[in-house]
Amino acid sequence: MRKEIKKNAALELNPNVSVDCVIFGFDFDKLNVLVINRDGVDGVQWALPGNLIYDDEHLDQAANRVLAELTGLQHIYLEQIGAFGDPNRISKESDRSWLQSIRTQPEARVITVAYFSLVKMEDYQPQASSFAKSAEWIPVNEIRELAFDHFDILQTAKSRLKQMIKIRPIGFNLLPEKFTLSQLHKLYESILDKPLDKRNFRRKIQKLNIVMSLEEKQSGVPHKPSQLFMFDKEHYLLLTQNGFDNFGF
Amino acid sequence: MRKEIKKNAALELNPNVSVDCVIFGFDFDKLNVLVINRDGVDGVQWALPGNLIYDDEHLDQAANRVLAELTGLQHIYLEQIGAFGDPNRISKESDRSWLQSIRTQPEARVITVAYFSLVKMEDYQPQASSFAKSAEWIPVNEIRELAFDHFDILQTAKSRLKQMIKIRPIGFNLLPEKFTLSQLHKLYESILDKPLDKRNFRRKIQKLNIVMSLEEKQSGVPHKPSQLFMFDKEHYLLLTQNGFDNFGF
DNA sequence: TTTGAAAGTGTTAAAATGACACAAAGAGCA
DNA sequence: TGCTCTTTGTGTCATTTTAACACTTTCAAA
């Protein structure tokens, strides 16, 4: 069904505008990014999920569609990072030959609009998905190279994430519904890339009143079990209405 | 000379990608935006300075070129806001007819990449410029409508400006080299759109050590003359090196 | 000389920050 | 049963930062 639509509309692909998605996930230890493995290129060559937009499509819609087509991920809030458009962005030979194989106008100048989002890794196992045999989580810090200008895009996404985590509680998107404060703590340290004092962190997050503690505890862990918490969305919405704008870590 | 280049390259205009610039200025009282008056449209219709990019042109370069062509402003640091690309952005009839008159492919889907910058109003008087007979400063708060989706772009630029003023001392771009603390104070109030306590503001700005007081004072004013200050760029650069990231007003 | 208008200045109470160390709880194993 | 290992969870204090608040000074113009 989806493929049908895609083929019919293929003539309307806009050869000059693409979208790329930076999807972050957290494995309770470090940040990861979802990348796809390009077929037909020798050596491993990762790329962000992305493709051309259709001519009558909203940019945001295009990003969601492309992400779904390439990875199966759906119904995700994607936030725009910005436009990237170096006319020489296709400098590597591998990029060029790959484009030859998939694009009708491989030489066209392309502006790409980048998006990012945060997802719970547990909700999405690429290997298990029939869609995304070639999609894979890779630790952000291990990435040295990506196709096209995707490495630049990733760096921009990282710094945007750093800014945003200080302003909005986006981190909760990266954790399961029930989580421990230690996990949240580790998450903030991963994103901000610096250690945060445990006690001060807990004090601050609790004062914000955006987490509510559950009755439940961790079980089966070989140490003192941790209290479980949930994100308190209502309380957060109240805060935002009163002109709240700083998580200040 | 410039026109020559422009005409020769005209065939290479990319019909799908444009740039638009939001230029803020401060008149010691309120924020203003530089807009251009479209010819041949009945009634007053303002638009942000913008146009299509050339196919081999960096986005940032395109923004600078278009701004210079339409207003004469040059050598300005333009910061990207993001891409705007509603496929229905050309909804108004006046927009449509205007495009008919200036574009070779007036119906093409256009993605626009928006930029913003801050300039000293005293440095730029559109009326006096031979270029920009149609360019004009308009108080931001008086703008109710702009061409295309330019009003949206302006709103986004405003909120981006609000964020950024808390992180970097961009405000100094809006003031003359020598300024008074009251002017700076008013500027921050204009951008943040809320009153700031005079004494607290001055204390805070002085503690940052990014202004240096001059020996000079205002003269000719019918009240106690104000001390003049300069932005201390060196000191600011030192601050940034030490991982400084908050002006926190 | 008087008037009007903006500049400039200090204190205090409340809140936020950063630094820091040890007891409690559970699993696993001998 | 008790020992070990590992992570959780908690409080205080000194320092800094914030917010609220009012009166005197200086100049030009009338």
Side-chain angles (χ1 to χ4, degrees):
Chain A
M1 180 60 179
R2 175 169 278 285
K3 276 186 182 170
E4 206 57 38
I5 291 170
K6 187 178 164 190
K7 274 184 183 159
N8 289 342
L11 292 175
E12 302 169 33
L13 275 178
N14 187 315
N16 294 312
V17 183
S18 67
V19 289
D20 286 303
C21 302
V22 181
I23 308 297
F24 290 107
F26 182 63
D27 59 10
F28 300 122
D29 180 44
K30 55 198 168 332
L31 270 188
N32 291 262
V33 184
L34 193 59
V35 293
I36 58 174
N37 192 351
R38 300 192 303 201
D39 298 331
V41 178
D42 37 42
V44 183
Q45 178 68 79
W46 302 106
L48 297 174
N51 207 346
L52 297 178
I53 71 169
Y54 289 115
D55 218 39
D56 59 352
E57 197 176 34
H58 277 78
L59 285 171
D60 298 1
Q61 278 174 10
N64 277 289
R65 172 184 58 78
V66 167
L67 182 63
E69 286 176 0
L70 291 174
T71 71
L73 274 171
Q74 275 178 313
H75 309 305
I76 289 182
Y77 173 67
L78 287 163
E79 176 134 346
Q80 194 190 115
I81 298 167
F84 294 75
D86 185 344
N88 305 313
R89 71 192 282 261
I90 311 171
S91 52
K92 299 172 220 163
E93 181 50 35
S94 59
D95 288 344
R96 195 180 302 272
S97 60
W98 191 50
L99 285 182
Q100 297 281 353
S101 70
I102 59 164
R103 295 266 165 94
T104 56
Q105 298 179 49
E107 298 294 339
R109 162 77 181 279
V110 175
I111 304 289
T112 199
V113 180
Y115 285 81
F116 85 101
S117 190
L118 312 167
V119 306
K120 308 184 201 312
M121 272 177 87
E122 58 168 14
D123 285 357
Y124 181 68
Q125 303 295 339
Q127 298 78 359
S129 155
S130 61
F131 272 103
K133 289 181 290 288
S134 62
E136 205 167 315
W137 289 110
I138 306 270
V140 171
N141 292 330
E142 292 178 14
I143 294 180
R144 300 273 169 274
E145 194 186 0
L146 288 171
F148 307 116
D149 51 1
H150 289 184
F151 191 74
D152 288 344
I153 294 175
L154 176 60
Q155 299 313 311
T156 307
K158 274 167 65 179
S159 72
R160 190 68 70 92
L161 181 57
K162 260 194 199 178
Q163 288 171 24
M164 197 148 300
I165 195 98
K166 293 188 178 183
I167 295 176
R168 283 194 261 147
I170 46 179
F172 296 98
N173 293 331
L174 287 163
L175 292 171
E177 196 171 12
K178 299 172 182 181
F179 53 85
T180 72
L181 289 189
S182 296
Q183 291 168 344
L184 188 63
H185 183 202
K186 187 95 194 200
L187 172 58
Y188 271 77
E189 289 188 326
S190 301
I191 292 179
L192 296 176
D193 205 22
K194 70 178 181 192
L196 302 171
D197 180 84
K198 181 165 59 164
R199 281 178 283 194
N200 294 339
F201 175 83
R202 294 166 95 96
R203 174 166 23 124
K204 202 158 188 173
I205 211 80
Q206 306 237 36
K207 178 129 30 109
L208 288 172
N209 274 317
I210 53 169
V211 293
M212 38 193 281
S213 83
L214 305 172
E215 298 305 305
E216 212 174 333
K217 291 196 174 197
Q218 262 184 331
S219 67
V221 288
H223 55 73
K224 181 172 176 179
S226 172
Q227 184 71 236
L228 289 173
F229 290 82
M230 279 185 66
F231 176 48
D232 186 342
K233 206 161 193 174
E234 281 191 34
H235 224 289
Y236 169 67
L237 287 177
L238 273 178
L239 275 185
T240 55
Q241 283 162 20
N242 301 333
F244 166 75
D245 70 348
N246 199 346
F247 274 80
F249 284 98
Chain B
M1 180 61 179
R2 172 169 279 284
K3 276 185 181 170
E4 207 59 38
I5 290 170
K6 185 179 163 190
K7 275 186 182 158
N8 289 342
L11 293 175
E12 302 167 33
L13 275 177
N14 186 315
N16 294 312
V17 183
S18 67
V19 289
D20 286 302
C21 302
V22 181
I23 308 298
F24 290 107
F26 182 63
D27 59 9
F28 300 122
D29 179 44
K30 55 198 168 334
L31 272 186
N32 291 261
V33 183
L34 192 58
V35 293
I36 59 174
N37 192 352
R38 301 193 303 206
D39 296 332
V41 177
D42 36 42
V44 182
Q45 178 70 78
W46 301 107
L48 297 174
N51 207 348
L52 297 179
I53 70 170
Y54 288 115
D55 219 37
D56 60 352
E57 195 175 33
H58 278 77
L59 284 170
D60 298 0
Q61 279 175 9
N64 278 288
R65 173 184 58 78
V66 166
L67 182 63
E69 286 176 1
L70 291 175
T71 70
L73 276 170
Q74 276 179 311
H75 310 304
I76 288 182
Y77 173 69
L78 287 162
E79 173 134 348
Q80 193 191 114
I81 298 168
F84 294 76
D86 185 343
N88 306 313
R89 71 192 281 261
I90 311 172
S91 52
K92 298 171 220 161
E93 181 50 36
S94 58
D95 289 341
R96 194 179 303 271
S97 59
W98 190 51
L99 286 181
Q100 297 282 355
S101 70
I102 59 164
R103 296 266 165 92
T104 57
Q105 299 179 46
E107 298 293 338
R109 162 75 182 278
V110 175
I111 303 291
T112 200
V113 180
Y115 285 81
F116 85 100
S117 190
L118 312 166
V119 306
K120 309 186 200 312
M121 271 178 85
E122 57 169 13
D123 285 358
Y124 181 68
Q125 304 295 339
Q127 298 77 3
S129 155
S130 61
F131 273 101
K133 288 182 289 290
S134 61
E136 202 167 317
W137 289 110
I138 306 271
V140 171
N141 292 330
E142 292 177 13
I143 295 180
R144 300 273 169 274
E145 194 186 0
L146 288 171
F148 309 118
D149 51 3
H150 290 184
F151 190 75
D152 288 343
I153 294 174
L154 175 61
Q155 300 311 310
T156 307
K158 275 168 65 179
S159 71
R160 190 67 69 91
L161 180 57
K162 261 193 199 181
Q163 288 171 25
M164 198 149 299
I165 195 102
K166 293 188 177 184
I167 295 175
R168 284 194 261 148
I170 45 178
F172 296 98
N173 292 330
L174 287 164
L175 291 171
E177 197 172 9
K178 300 173 183 180
F179 53 85
T180 71
L181 289 188
S182 296
Q183 291 167 344
L184 187 63
H185 181 202
K186 188 93 193 200
L187 171 58
Y188 272 77
E189 289 188 325
S190 302
I191 292 179
L192 296 176
D193 204 23
K194 70 179 181 192
L196 301 170
D197 180 84
K198 182 166 57 165
R199 280 176 284 193
N200 294 338
F201 175 84
R202 292 166 96 98
R203 171 155 34 105
K204 200 157 190 174
I205 211 79
Q206 306 237 34
K207 179 132 26 112
L208 288 171
N209 275 317
I210 53 168
V211 293
M212 39 194 278
S213 85
L214 305 173
E215 299 304 306
E216 211 175 334
K217 292 197 174 196
Q218 265 185 328
S219 68
V221 288
H223 54 74
K224 183 172 178 179
S226 172
Q227 186 70 237
L228 288 173
F229 291 81
M230 278 185 65
F231 176 48
D232 186 340
K233 209 163 192 172
E234 280 191 35
H235 224 287
Y236 170 68
L237 286 177
L238 274 178
L239 275 185
T240 55
Q241 283 162 20
N242 300 333
F244 165 77
D245 69 348
N246 200 344
F247 274 81
F249 285 98

